[in-house]
Amino acid sequence: MSSPHIRESSPVMENENPKSRFTYKHLCQLASFSPSSPLRVIAHIDLDAFYAQCEMVRLNIPENQPLAVQQWQSLIAVNYPAREFGVSRHCTVADAKKLCPYLVTQHVATWREGDDKWAYRKDAAANIASDKVSLDPYRLQSRKILQLIKESLPSHLQRVEKASIDEVFCDLSAQVHSILLERFPELTRPPPHGDLAERLPRPPVVALDWMADALVDLDEDAESQDPDWDDVAILIGSEIIRAVRTRIREKLRYTCSAGIANNKLLSKLGSAHKKPNQQTVIRSRAIQHFLSDLKITKIRNFGGKLGDNVTSAFGVETVRELLPTTLDQMKSKLGDETGTWVYSTIRGVDHSEVSSRTQIKSMLSAKSFRPAIRTVEQATPWLRIFAADISARLDEEDSRRRPKTMNLHHRHGGQTKSRQAAIPQGKALDAQLLFDLARTLLNQILSEGNVWPCMNLSLSVGSFEDSGVGNMGISGFLLKGEEAQALKSGAKDPGSPVVSDRPAAKRRRLDGAGQGGTGGIHRFLVKQSTTNDKSMSLAADNTKGHEDEDSDSGLHKGSEWQSEAGDAPSESLKCSRCGASFDCPEGFQSHQDWHLAKDLQDEERGQATAAAHPPPSARPKRPNGPTSSSKNGGRGGKIEHGQQKLTFGGS
């Protein structure tokens, strides 16, 4: 059975070139989501001007009506009809309306003291001192879209990763593998001599119908080649994503753009290539042609310090200008790890996996004060708003998951003070409980004196766990002295908040310090802000220079604020399985959970599914997981218990 969008070749053509470039092993890897498979298919779906679309759908505004989303006197999102008039996020509301007199400006929803829910208010723009921005309406729509995407793909063949509030990665490899076997029964036959290294037969096609896809051009040499199985796989992926986008459009009325390629790096670049409401396909043969004219700083992870260092070190602006630089030259100027990673990335190499984990790690509610607040009476109402905000969002999340810790940060001048507490277990987690605990933390900060005026307050909850785990986790047994006693007391008496006078344990450094490393690429991928009192670090959001960012909301994707320890570290904890050391019980417990989850995954799948990571320099080191190389985890190592060799033809 062949696809209606594929034209069969003649027998003469088959005899001239009977073998594919790809092997039966590559086909098997496709079924197991292997990042090393050259046939893998990754899609990136990006909602078009998402916040603006949310308001257009909510207000039932015609699609050709210019609209911008307003936050105070600034714009945080502009739809495409408004952009045609020159309106951008850099405009003020007044300037935007001069450019486009018919522009609709919808202010974001806000929280206000005394209310138990966010609301849309006509006077919000005039009440910056008393209101706090809420992105909850957009979060709710984001969840609906993510759920619809998952429902549109076979549950047993999907990997879907929420990359941010308005973008999703999909690894379509296993589904594409299943469709390939259905459309081309010859692929179900065992390889000659049972050797997976044997090359596949050529696809029985000479032309593919890409329909409405924006197809990246090939260079002259590649244009003369007939399609191979990677082209057919990408075509099937584009059909799948076209159907998903159509369903989002029909069910929820949102348009989105998409990129389809063989890795996350390229698919993300592809989704931004043609907007709005289009999808771009980057075939393997078109990768270098596509990347060559891109500015280096437009590539993911090159938008900050790393991009500036690369362009200044080599005096270049585009990928084409950097390509002649040898690997040795890059290593000499950027270091071995960073140089190797840059060398691979500008050639479109990316082995990072699509992670199906979509559960949040933390929730944060924050407010920057203009003008600054100067009394506890001014600060306390904001704590109540923060608590109500977080409580409402917790109610919308999975009810089985509950945060274990709360952090309060207070910025005064160039200093940031912070306090952390354990959230009492066994009691209803409502706004009042969060507010009482936050007020206790604020009082601790105030007791130090010299805290006014305050320019920013932020409240966050984190360390989520399943609510059925119990009142006291393993960290309670690993803590010593006063901390252990306090945690035990809190577990016994749910009504008494457990507050630690010590700041949160210092997050393990991502730059390799203390392990003999000098940093590598990690130092470019982490934003750090050091103050005179406490320092806070925020893991860099490497998703994109987001069009719809809200500076007041404190929206940090998959990251947490943590304060640096002000005293000696606790006794080191060591993993008996891999030798990794940890200086905080939470990190050690998370690491053990990682091992357990990995064991269960391997057992279910019947074979080892060790993740194939990008080069070490291409990502921050995981603080809670083992390194990418283990004693027996190499591809050439012997088969361990619970593993089995790949069998051909599985879906």
Side-chain angles (χ1 to χ4, degrees):
M1 180 171 58
S2 61
S3 165
H5 307 308
I6 297 176
R7 193 169 77 231
E8 295 184 357
S9 65
S10 66
V12 175
M13 180 63 69
E14 292 179 11
N15 291 333
E16 287 181 357
N17 195 3
K19 293 292 184 180
S20 165
R21 292 184 293 113
F22 304 101
T23 68
Y24 287 87
K25 179 181 178 180
H26 295 148
L27 186 62
C28 292
Q29 289 175 327
L30 187 66
S32 62
F33 297 101
S34 172
S36 59
S37 173
L39 296 175
R40 73 192 296 232
V41 181
I42 307 296
H44 181 260
I45 299 174
D46 192 353
L47 276 294
D48 300 318
F50 180 51
Y51 292 1
Q53 273 205 92
C54 288
E55 298 301 346
M56 293 173 70
V57 170
R58 183 180 70 86
L59 299 171
N60 199 26
I61 289 177
E63 292 184 356
N64 61 352
Q65 169 64 52
L67 177 142
V69 179
Q70 177 181 353
Q71 179 179 315
W72 316 131
Q73 297 305 316
S74 301
L75 303 181
I76 63 171
V78 179
N79 72 359
Y80 285 88
R83 295 181 194 187
E84 295 178 1
F85 290 86
V87 179
S88 72
R89 291 192 302 119
H90 303 291
C91 296
T92 64
V93 174
D95 290 340
K97 289 191 172 181
K98 290 178 182 178
L99 292 170
C100 181
Y102 305 105
L103 179 70
V104 173
T105 54
Q106 173 60 53
H107 200 283
V108 296
T110 61
W111 284 88
R112 184 170 291 177
E113 172 66 9
D115 294 343
D116 57 2
K117 185 173 174 56
W118 52 264
Y120 284 94
R121 313 172 197 275
K122 292 183 179 179
D123 63 343
N127 287 278
I128 185 173
S130 61
D131 286 14
K132 179 194 139 27
V133 164
S134 173
L135 297 183
D136 285 1
Y138 312 132
R139 292 190 184 97
L140 292 171
Q141 295 305 307
S142 176
R143 293 190 190 101
K144 289 182 181 179
I145 294 167
L146 180 64
Q147 185 60 36
L148 186 59
I149 291 173
K150 290 182 175 181
E151 292 173 357
S152 302
L153 303 173
S155 59
H156 64 296
L157 298 176
Q158 66 172 245
R159 276 194 183 178
V160 178
E161 174 186 338
K162 180 180 178 181
S164 74
I165 195 171
D166 66 347
E167 54 182 338
V168 174
F169 282 107
C170 302
D171 189 337
L172 305 173
S173 300
Q175 185 178 357
V176 167
H177 176 269
S178 177
I179 296 173
L180 276 173
L181 298 186
E182 179 185 341
R183 292 186 182 177
F184 303 95
E186 62 268 29
L187 296 179
T188 63
R189 299 169 191 152
H193 316 295
D195 185 2
L196 291 177
E198 286 281 348
R199 290 194 293 168
L200 294 165
R202 290 283 299 188
V205 297
V206 292
L208 303 177
D209 182 1
W210 298 96
M211 300 185 70
D213 291 346
L215 199 62
V216 172
D217 292 335
L218 304 173
D219 56 34
E220 293 182 4
D221 293 337
E223 194 68 56
S224 62
Q225 302 172 17
D226 280 343
D228 208 334
W229 290 113
D230 58 338
D231 299 304
V232 179
I234 289 285
L235 172 68
I236 294 173
S238 73
E239 295 170 358
I240 294 170
I241 293 302
R242 189 181 300 114
V244 171
R245 292 174 52 239
T246 299
R247 193 173 184 198
I248 294 172
R249 176 76 159 155
E250 291 174 349
K251 297 288 185 180
L252 300 177
R253 297 170 57 193
Y254 294 110
T255 67
C256 51
S257 299
I260 301 98
N262 66 17
N263 62 50
K264 293 173 74 173
L265 165 72
L266 294 169
S267 64
K268 184 173 174 60
L269 289 170
S271 66
H273 186 59
K274 295 284 186 180
K275 289 176 78 70
N277 198 26
Q278 297 189 61
Q279 67 182 42
T280 298
V281 174
I282 306 173
R283 293 166 287 179
S284 299
R285 291 179 288 155
I287 291 174
Q288 210 55 69
H289 184 76
F290 174 71
L291 289 177
S292 291
D293 292 328
L294 283 181
K295 285 192 173 182
I296 293 168
T297 52
K298 294 296 183 182
I299 300 177
R300 186 182 185 188
N301 292 332
F302 283 87
K305 185 177 178 182
L306 176 59
D308 293 339
N309 279 26
V310 171
T311 55
S312 61
F314 299 101
V316 297
E317 294 291 336
T318 66
V319 171
R320 186 190 305 276
E321 294 171 319
L322 188 58
L323 280 173
T325 306
T326 66
L327 177 58
D328 287 340
Q329 289 173 323
M330 287 193 180
K331 287 182 176 180
S332 66
K333 291 192 176 183
L334 302 174
D336 286 355
E337 287 191 350
T338 304
T340 301
W341 183 83
V342 171
Y343 184 87
S344 298
T345 300
I346 63 172
R347 287 164 173 78
V349 177
D350 175 22
H351 296 298
S352 57
E353 293 188 82
V354 173
S355 172
S356 297
R357 293 171 298 178
T358 57
Q359 293 178 325
I360 61 169
K361 296 180 181 179
S362 64
M363 287 183 181
L364 183 145
S365 189
K367 174 70 177 180
S368 294
F369 302 111
R370 299 181 294 271
I373 58 175
R374 298 177 177 276
T375 66
V376 66
E377 288 75 20
Q378 290 178 296
T380 301
W382 286 108
L383 295 184
R384 191 175 293 281
I385 290 176
F386 295 162
D389 183 14
I390 292 175
S391 176
R393 288 157 59 188
L394 286 170
D395 289 341
E396 293 160 5
E397 288 294 328
D398 188 342
S399 60
R400 295 168 298 178
R401 301 183 73 240
R402 180 186 177 107
K404 295 191 298 181
T405 60
M406 172 184 286
N407 285 273
L408 179 68
H409 294 277
H410 172 291
R411 181 153 55 86
H412 159 63
Q415 297 181 334
T416 299
K417 299 178 184 292
S418 62
R419 285 294 181 273
Q420 182 186 65
I423 297 175
Q425 303 297 303
K427 188 175 182 180
L429 187 57
D430 55 19
Q432 187 62 45
L433 176 66
L434 295 175
F435 170 68
D436 291 341
L437 189 54
R439 187 168 51 182
T440 301
L441 296 178
L442 178 62
N443 288 337
Q444 287 199 351
I445 292 175
L446 297 180
S447 66
E448 296 184 8
N450 190 30
V451 297
W452 307 111
C454 172
M455 277 69 74
N456 178 277
L457 275 176
S458 67
L459 186 70
S460 65
V461 295
S463 301
F464 280 77
E465 69 172 6
D466 289 342
S467 57
V469 169
N471 288 344
M472 188 171 72
I474 191 171
S475 58
F477 299 100
L478 297 176
L479 291 174
K480 298 182 177 182
E482 295 179 0
E483 287 187 357
Q485 186 61 40
L487 187 57
K488 290 177 182 177
S489 300
K492 293 176 182 177
D493 182 9
S496 59
V498 182
V499 182
S500 172
D501 290 333
R502 298 173 56 189
K506 181 178 179 180
R507 178 179 296 217
R508 170 167 289 200
R509 292 187 181 274
L510 300 181
D511 59 6
Q515 300 177 4
T518 57
I521 195 173
H522 318 305
R523 67 184 186 275
F524 297 110
L525 303 185
V526 177
K527 300 174 184 177
Q528 293 185 336
S529 175
T530 303
T531 65
N532 294 332
D533 179 68
K534 308 286 183 188
S535 71
M536 298 193 299
S537 63
L538 175 63
D541 174 11
N542 294 326
T543 53
K544 66 178 178 179
H546 210 266
E547 180 202 298
D548 297 331
E549 285 187 336
D550 171 27
S551 60
D552 186 64
S553 70
L555 178 65
H556 301 304
K557 308 176 188 73
S559 59
E560 296 181 58
W561 289 104
Q562 288 195 349
S563 58
E564 183 169 306
D567 53 0
S570 59
E571 183 179 345
S572 178
L573 302 168
K574 191 169 184 178
C575 176
S576 60
R577 296 184 60 175
C578 66
S581 297
F582 299 88
D583 50 18
C584 69
E586 291 82 359
F588 177 78
Q589 176 60 28
S590 180
H591 176 78
Q592 297 300 308
D593 292 344
W594 186 93
H595 275 304
L596 176 61
K598 190 69 174 62
D599 291 342
L600 291 173
Q601 181 189 52
D602 291 348
E603 183 177 343
E604 284 183 4
R605 297 181 66 174
Q607 63 182 24
T609 54
H613 300 288
S617 58
R619 67 189 189 285
K621 293 181 180 178
R622 294 182 181 179
N624 298 329
T627 58
S628 58
S629 61
S630 58
K631 287 184 179 181
N632 301 314
R635 293 176 186 160
K638 65 179 180 180
I639 296 178
E640 298 292 332
H641 176 69
Q643 293 181 319
Q644 65 182 32
K645 289 187 176 180
L646 286 172
T647 54
F648 174 74
S651 51

